[in-house]
Structure formats: C-alpha cells, structure tokens
Amino acid sequence: PLFDKISIHLENEKVFTVEAKNLSEDNKYVQEVFLDDEKVKSPYILHDDIIMGKKLLFVMGKKKVVFWE
C-alpha cells in the first residue's frame, strides 16, 4: 500500500476503509490481512464486503511472506 489509511465514501453512505498498519520504508511487506478483524484466507475479497463498508487491514513488516501459491 502507498498510504497508511484511505477511506472511500460509497453511494450507500457506507465507508470502505483500507489501512496499512506499521507501514514504513522498511516495513514494506504484507504480513497478514484482516477484513473487519477476521483474518483473510484468500487472495481476494468480495464486492459485497466493499459495499457493506468493511475495513481492510494490512499488517506490514520487514519480511517477505508467501500467502497464496
């Protein structure tokens, strides 16, 4: 992610938020991904998750992590 946090205000008056926790020049690798405090186990999220105004959280760190192959 390029930003620490970004919020998208949707037409349905909900807000979809993307946040990168611990983002820095050194912490440029995604360590874990959460959607509303639930760990994401797939390389995608659903459109419904976005329009419901959920929060997508990337936890950043120094080590490269392989999630999905």
Side-chain angles (χ1 to χ4, degrees):
L2 295 175
F3 302 99
D4 290 336
K5 185 176 182 179
I6 187 167
S7 297
I8 302 169
H9 297 265
L10 306 169
E11 288 182 8
N12 63 1
E13 298 183 7
K14 306 258 182 176
V15 179
F16 178 68
T17 303
V18 179
E19 185 175 345
K21 184 177 178 182
N22 303 324
L23 181 63
S24 70
E25 191 172 312
D26 291 331
N27 294 340
K28 59 185 177 183
Y29 298 107
V30 176
Q31 305 297 297
E32 295 180 289
V33 181
F34 294 89
L35 185 63
D36 274 357
D37 299 323
E38 190 173 314
K39 193 168 186 173
V40 175
K41 297 176 183 172
S42 64
Y44 62 88
I45 62 170
L46 301 176
H47 179 259
D48 287 346
D49 294 325
I50 296 170
I51 62 171
M52 289 174 58
K54 294 190 176 184
K55 177 181 177 182
L56 184 63
L57 174 67
F58 293 90
V59 179
M60 309 302 290
K62 294 180 182 182
K63 294 182 181 180
K64 216 180 246 192
V65 176
V66 176
F67 291 100
W68 308 285
E69 294 182 18

